[in-house]
Amino acid sequence: MGGGFFFIIGGLEALLIRIQLFFPNNDFMVGREFNELLTMHGTTMIFFVAMPLLFALMNVAVPLQIGARDVAFPFLNALGFWLFLAGGILMNLGWIFGNAPDAGWTNYVPIAGNEYSAGPGIEYYVLGLQVSGIGTLIGGLNFLVTIINMRAPGMTFLRMPLFTWTSFVASALILFAFPALTAGLFLVMFDRIFGTAFFDVALGGNPVIWQHLFWIFGHPEVYIVILPAFGIMSDVISTFAKKRLFGYTSMVFATMLIGFLGFMVWAHHMFTVGMGPVPNSIFAILTMAIAVPTGIKVFNWLFTMWGGKIQFTTAMLWAVGFIPTFVLGGVTGVMLASPAADFQFHDSYFVVAHFHYVLIGGTVFGLFSGAYYWWPKMFGHKLNETLGKWHFWLFFIGFHLTFFIQHFIGLFGMPRRHFTYQADDGLTLLNQISTVGAFFMAIGTVVLLINIIVSAKKAVPAGNDPWDARTLEWAISSPPPEYNFAQTPRVRALDAFWHEKMAGNKTLEPAEPLGPIHMPSPTHLPFFMTLGFFISGLGWVFRSVEVGVLGLVMVVLVMFIHSFNHDHGYYIPLKDIPDANNDPQKGAKA
């Protein structure tokens, strides 16, 4: 819900940007207003849409896919959600109180310094991302521990579904990438509020430090949001092609290699800062090398479909549409990895087209595919397939109208982040086509919202396994009970549920006898801890040291109270477990 809410806000900001660029010399939203729109759109879509929606799908699918009853730390899970929501609200308060962030989603200094960006706008950015970033970091840690420690007996690493694998690697990237962003945000905060000079050249600072810190986080961030989308595609394509994923082991190693290389190539965003030919060449070669494991994935998806009995459900349409779209984004990425070419493309609309092809064509298409795929498991009913296909075609056509044309807008010389152009530049028609495409995507999103409402009103039960799927989550009821599996299942092969079905078994073999199930107790402490962070953030935004410190004291106080919490949860008795009246040896059920 939170990610969907911010998706609508970020989408409306994108529409306003495209309306401004519909005519040359338009004065609909210019200057600072345009900069604010640009900044808020990029930041919202990356931090408050892509990441939380992927985390939501991880929460739904990962524990089920590994046969666990929950994530390892439910308290941290709740805390992560509230921190994400508080960070998003804090940043968007800039729209209400005036002075939204205006230095771009990359927040480059010295533009983000007091001299060029007066008012509290940058503080909203810095504090909003700090608060939500804590939530993301602990969320990543939680999933790492969950996947390492809570897999069902027999679920070896090389039997895990691809979505779990990609979530695992993305969580590891979060663990290493987010501290760099946290450090950079602290430096900006200290420069702006306390008058330090980390980035002030006149006082011995260096603004390039921010670029390094930002992109040490920023480039892995692309893989943090794209790798889980790869996992979704792998599970969806395998399910609807009715075949085992081709080259499963190579897909796993390709995922790990992409994660590693993705962390090592941050400086390809900085070819033009003057690092010199040797560093530029090293980062160029490493960046181009990522095309190899990515190509392995693409060919494996195609080989999985080859000869399969493909069902073109809406989820599968998003997956099939994803492949050529993401490949195009990857090809332009290789073009940008060449320093000589990058000097020409840099800060043009070509770059805008490239990263939207990767982030929308990859992550958003993946999110839509995952939503249609797991919707029956989450809510017990499917989304309407007819409306789903309208959603797909409107959004898919609108996406390519919007962004394919922007490659040429960039090649013809239009710089990014500019709020206008001249009539005799020859860019008017191309910009108008791009804007029309954006409205197609908006209409497609409205169709999705209608679909959610219509499907919920009818709520036709979908059954436990509506797609005849392969992984463990489809072995239990839809929606799952709070404890997921009444008995932890024993996993005997890759695609564990499919393996049992092919063996003629209707249920999974249990790895434990049926007994009372331990559950964590509900608590309001994560909310109050988040409230402390929010108050502190608001205090620093308005440069009130007293309020900033007061919020942090509240955080420490809640942590202190929690440290004396001796409530270790409760047990669901056998009489409240539906399987208690069945033969506990017959199989692991919900």
Side-chain angles (χ1 to χ4, degrees):
M1 287 286 288
F5 172 71
F6 287 119
F7 181 68
I8 292 171
I9 290 179
L12 291 174
E13 289 161 352
L15 286 181
L16 293 174
I17 291 169
R18 290 311 316 169
I19 291 172
Q20 164 60 27
L21 294 171
F22 193 75
F23 293 112
N25 294 317
N26 196 2
D27 59 358
F28 175 62
M29 279 193 164
V30 301
R32 185 183 176 105
E33 285 181 338
F34 188 84
N35 292 341
E36 290 175 342
L37 272 179
L38 209 66
T39 304
M40 291 297 288
H41 166 68
T43 311
T44 299
M45 285 300 193
I46 293 285
F47 292 98
F48 302 115
V49 176
M51 296 197 61
L53 287 179
L54 285 167
F55 264 86
L57 287 180
M58 289 184 199
N59 262 294
V60 168
V62 168
L64 292 174
Q65 287 194 332
I66 63 173
R69 293 212 166 95
D70 198 349
V71 292
F73 307 113
F75 182 92
L76 290 186
N77 210 24
L79 181 61
F81 164 74
W82 287 114
L83 286 170
F84 136 73
L85 190 63
I89 292 171
L90 183 60
M91 208 183 76
N92 278 275
L93 285 180
W95 286 129
I96 298 172
F97 297 125
N99 280 305
D102 63 346
W105 85 277
T106 52
N107 201 53
Y108 279 163
V109 290
I111 299 170
N114 283 320
E115 184 179 356
Y116 298 104
S117 188
I122 303 302
E123 273 73 34
Y124 285 120
Y125 176 97
V126 170
L127 273 305
L129 293 195
Q130 287 286 38
V131 171
S132 67
I134 299 169
T136 305
L137 190 61
I138 60 178
L141 186 66
N142 202 357
F143 278 107
L144 277 178
V145 177
T146 301
I147 294 169
I148 291 172
N149 285 338
M150 298 184 69
R151 285 167 290 126
M155 175 67 80
T156 62
F157 274 101
L158 286 179
R159 286 178 180 173
M160 292 197 310
L162 247 294
F163 179 65
T164 299
W165 251 114
T166 51
S167 299
F168 179 73
V169 176
S171 299
L173 287 177
I174 287 172
L175 202 62
F176 290 107
F178 265 73
L181 177 67
T182 303
L185 291 172
F186 267 122
L187 298 186
V188 174
M189 177 181 165
F190 272 69
D191 267 16
R192 287 184 61 88
I193 299 177
F194 301 113
T196 55
F198 293 108
F199 306 120
D200 189 339
V201 176
L203 296 175
N206 187 348
V208 177
I209 293 172
W210 165 258
Q211 292 197 34
H212 278 291
L213 288 172
F214 183 84
W215 288 117
I216 287 172
F217 147 79
H219 196 75
E221 169 69 10
V222 174
Y223 296 96
I224 289 168
V225 296
I226 198 66
L227 283 176
F230 285 173
I232 294 169
M233 296 305 167
S234 302
D235 287 1
V236 167
I237 289 173
S238 175
T239 295
F240 293 111
K242 300 299 171 196
K243 284 178 65 184
R244 176 177 169 169
L245 187 67
F246 185 89
Y248 169 83
T249 308
S250 65
M251 293 288 263
V252 169
F253 284 99
T255 301
M256 291 193 288
L257 190 56
I258 291 171
F260 175 74
L261 289 174
F263 200 78
M264 303 297 291
V265 299
W266 77 91
H268 73 216
H269 294 272
M270 301 164 59
F271 283 152
T272 57
V273 302
M275 293 188 298
V278 173
N280 278 2
S281 301
I282 292 170
F283 281 104
I285 292 166
L286 285 173
T287 305
M288 291 180 189
I290 297 177
V292 177
T294 307
I296 289 171
K297 282 184 169 289
V298 171
F299 280 109
N300 282 351
W301 290 324
L302 295 176
F303 288 136
T304 303
M305 288 189 282
W306 184 273
K309 296 178 181 177
I310 300 175
Q311 294 175 300
F312 283 103
T313 61
T314 307
M316 187 64 170
L317 279 178
W318 284 110
V320 172
F322 162 93
I323 294 175
T325 307
F326 184 78
V327 166
L328 186 52
V331 168
T332 52
V334 174
M335 293 167 69
L336 287 165
S338 166
D342 187 75
F343 270 71
Q344 299 300 314
F345 302 142
H346 192 76
D347 272 347
S348 75
Y349 258 78
F350 188 89
V351 180
V352 178
H354 158 69
F355 69 70
H356 279 91
Y357 259 79
V358 172
L359 291 175
I360 296 182
T363 304
V364 176
F365 281 21
L367 284 168
F368 284 145
S369 181
Y372 281 94
Y373 181 58
W374 281 305
W375 202 269
K377 186 52 58 183
M378 288 188 279
F379 301 106
H381 63 269
K382 293 181 185 177
L383 286 172
N384 183 287
E385 280 289 305
T386 304
L387 287 172
K389 285 166 183 168
W390 273 100
H391 169 215
F392 169 76
W393 285 112
L394 282 166
F395 198 96
F396 185 78
I397 293 169
F399 168 79
H400 286 284
L401 275 179
T402 305
F403 296 109
F404 186 75
I405 214 82
Q406 288 185 5
H407 291 104
F408 300 98
I409 294 175
L411 291 174
F412 293 160
M414 183 162 170
R416 64 195 284 200
R417 306 189 184 103
H418 282 216
F419 63 79
T420 193
Y421 50 94
Q422 302 302 310
D424 54 4
D425 287 345
L427 299 169
T428 305
L429 180 61
L430 296 178
N431 271 298
Q432 289 175 343
I433 292 171
S434 184
T435 300
V436 169
F439 276 90
F440 266 68
M441 286 196 286
I443 296 168
T445 305
V446 171
V447 173
L448 171 63
L449 295 176
I450 294 171
N451 194 351
I452 291 171
I453 295 168
V454 169
S455 302
K457 285 187 77 173
K458 292 184 178 174
V460 179
N464 298 347
D465 184 21
W467 311 123
D468 191 17
R470 312 175 72 83
T471 42
L472 284 182
E473 69 267 35
W474 304 102
I476 62 172
S477 63
S478 302
E482 58 180 322
Y483 46 82
N484 287 351
F485 296 88
Q487 294 165 278
T488 302
R490 185 179 303 283
V491 175
R492 301 195 294 182
L494 177 66
D495 290 345
F497 187 39
W498 184 262
H499 174 81
E500 299 298 340
K501 286 193 287 189
M502 291 302 100
N505 302 323
K506 294 182 180 178
T507 55
L508 296 160
E509 181 185 339
E512 61 178 3
L514 192 62
I517 298 173
H518 178 259
M519 298 296 294
S521 298
T523 172
H524 299 295
L525 292 182
F527 173 79
F528 289 110
M529 193 180 292
T530 302
L531 189 61
F533 277 115
F534 183 80
I535 291 171
S536 178
L538 210 55
W540 297 120
V541 165
F542 292 104
R543 305 196 180 196
S544 167
V545 176
E546 294 81 3
V547 177
V549 172
L550 179 69
L552 291 178
V553 169
M554 183 174 174
V555 172
V556 173
L557 188 62
V558 176
M559 290 172 70
F560 184 74
I561 293 170
H562 183 58
S563 68
F564 289 97
N565 182 4
H566 297 298
D567 181 358
H568 296 295
Y570 66 97
Y571 282 88
I572 298 176
L574 273 175
K575 66 182 179 59
D576 293 335
I577 302 172
D579 271 9
N581 297 323
N582 300 335
D583 180 353
Q585 299 305 318
K586 279 189 175 179
K589 294 180 181 178

